Structures are given as C-alpha cells and as structure tokens.
C-alpha cells in the first residue's frame, strides 16, 4: 500500500458522550460512515431506559450478565463471553439484575 493510501486510512478521533458511557468515533476517511465502539458498564441494579435503535449493533459481554427485554415481553439473557446483537426497530430496555457489575463492548 502506498503512503497516500495509508494516510487516508489513519483514524481521526473525536470525544463524545452518550447516556451510558464515553464513546470514541473513528472516521475512516472523509465522506465514509463512522464506526462507534462503546464500552458500557452497568452497576448492579441498573435499568436502561426504554429505547429503539435503527442501526445494527453487535457486541460481547465482557463480564456479568444482562436481561434485555422487549416491550412485547420477550427477553434475552446474555452472559459473560456471549455475543449480543442489539434488537433493531423494536422498543426494548436492558437491566442488570445481578449482584456484580456488567460490562459490554459493542460497535
């Protein structure tokens, strides 16, 4: 790969925040979509608000366990080491019902 092509692949970082944790956005090249990598920490008893997302996110449970419930009453229970695919275009919320913190890395 030539020097100019490598320069176009260098990520540019910008610091942002969301309601759960800090977020780093990486823009691969001008005019291209951004990739957001989240590190979400949920102390015991945390209940995330009911929300709906339009984009596809996937992640992995780094530690702890989580309950993800839809407004229709369906539930998922990802545990440490398991992959997670976020529910899309469906109202849902997450909660840590355990006695230890839960941590997810997603993007």
């Amino acid at each position: 790969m030539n020097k100019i092509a490598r320069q176009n692949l260098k990520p540019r970082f910008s610091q942002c925040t969301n309601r759960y944790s800090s977020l780093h956005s990486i823009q691969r090249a001008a005019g291209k979509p951004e990739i957001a990598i989240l590190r979400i920490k949920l102390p015991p008893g945390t209940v995330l608000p009911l929300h709906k997302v339009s984009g596809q996110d996937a992640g992995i449970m780094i530690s702890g366990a989580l309950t993800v419930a839809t407004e229709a009453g369906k539930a998922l229970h990802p545990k440490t080491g398991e992959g997670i695919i976020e529910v899309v275009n469906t109202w849902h919320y997450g909660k840590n019902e355990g006695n230890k913190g839960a941590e997810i890395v997603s993007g």
Side-chain angles (χ1 to χ4, degrees):
M1 187 179 294
N2 67 36
K3 184 177 179 180
I4 293 172
R6 279 196 306 270
Q7 286 175 343
N8 288 335
L9 293 175
K10 289 182 181 177
R12 293 187 302 275
F13 294 90
S14 60
Q15 180 70 38
C16 305
T17 60
N18 70 9
R19 63 180 173 252
Y20 307 132
S21 66
S22 64
L23 161 68
H24 292 280
S25 294
I26 303 170
Q27 187 171 354
R28 295 286 178 185
K32 300 289 182 184
E34 290 187 353
I35 298 170
I37 305 298
L38 295 147
R39 180 178 179 188
I40 303 166
K41 293 183 177 186
L42 304 168
T46 298
V47 179
L48 301 176
L50 188 67
H51 64 283
K52 180 168 50 169
V53 297
S54 59
Q56 186 70 67
D57 289 325
I60 189 164
M61 287 293 304
I62 300 300
S63 63
L66 187 64
T67 298
V68 178
T70 67
E71 194 175 39
K74 295 182 181 180
L76 302 170
H77 304 280
K79 296 178 180 35
T80 300
E82 294 182 344
I84 303 169
I85 305 290
E86 184 154 18
V87 181
V88 177
N89 293 322
T90 301
W91 289 101
H92 65 284
Y93 66 94
K95 59 184 173 178
N96 180 353
E97 299 175 309
N99 57 6
K100 296 190 298 186
E103 185 173 352
I104 305 163
V105 172
S106 77

